[in-house]
Each structure stands twice: as structure tokens, then as C-alpha cells.
Amino acid sequence: MKKLHLGFALAALAVLAAGLIHGGIAWLAASLTWDPVETSFPAWSMFVIVLMFYLLAVAVVLFVWLVTWLIVRAVKKRRLQSG
């Protein structure tokens, strides 16, 4: 069970780290190429927009972890009751 939790935690952290790196690069690129005449968005909004999608991916990983944990827990309880 500990390996299950560790695996999903590492997956969530990897997605979050990738989002932070990608968001930072997007923010840097936006701040170098942003033209205030063309848009009213601040340059840091690119970081937030990119990070939103990665946070959604982290939420999906955590939801899958929850479902998997509930299934494993139910199987273990059933095995204890039957045998």
C-alpha cells in the first residue's frame, strides 16, 4: 500500500514540477515578447494559464489515486472477511 501512495505522490509531484517549469518558461517568453498594445493581459498571466492545465492534470492523478485506493481497500476487506 505504501508503494501505491508513493507512486501516485511522485506522479503528482512530477506533473506539478513540469507545470511550474513550463509555466516559468511561458512567463519568460511572454515577458520578452509581450506587446501591451495587442492585449490587456499582464505577462504573468501566461504562467497562470499554463499552470491551470497542469493543476487539472494533478487533480486527475489524485482522483485516480483515490479510486484505486478505495478499490484496493475494498478488496483487502473482502479477503479478510472471506478467509
Side-chain angles (χ1 to χ4, degrees), residues 15-34 43-52 54:
V15 171
L16 187 60
L20 289 173
I21 292 169
H22 187 189
I25 292 170
W27 187 0
L28 180 65
S31 66
L32 293 175
T33 61
W34 218 252
W44 58 264
S45 64
M46 282 309 299
F47 176 77
V48 174
I49 291 170
V50 169
L51 196 60
M52 282 189 320
Y54 282 97

Side-chain angles (χ1 to χ4, degrees), residues 59-80:
V60 168
V61 168
L62 293 177
F63 178 74
V64 171
W65 165 78
L66 177 66
V67 170
T68 306
W69 177 68
L70 289 173
I71 290 170
V72 168
R73 191 174 121 191
V75 168
K76 282 187 176 184
K77 278 188 176 185
R78 185 170 294 180
R79 282 185 186 167
L80 287 175

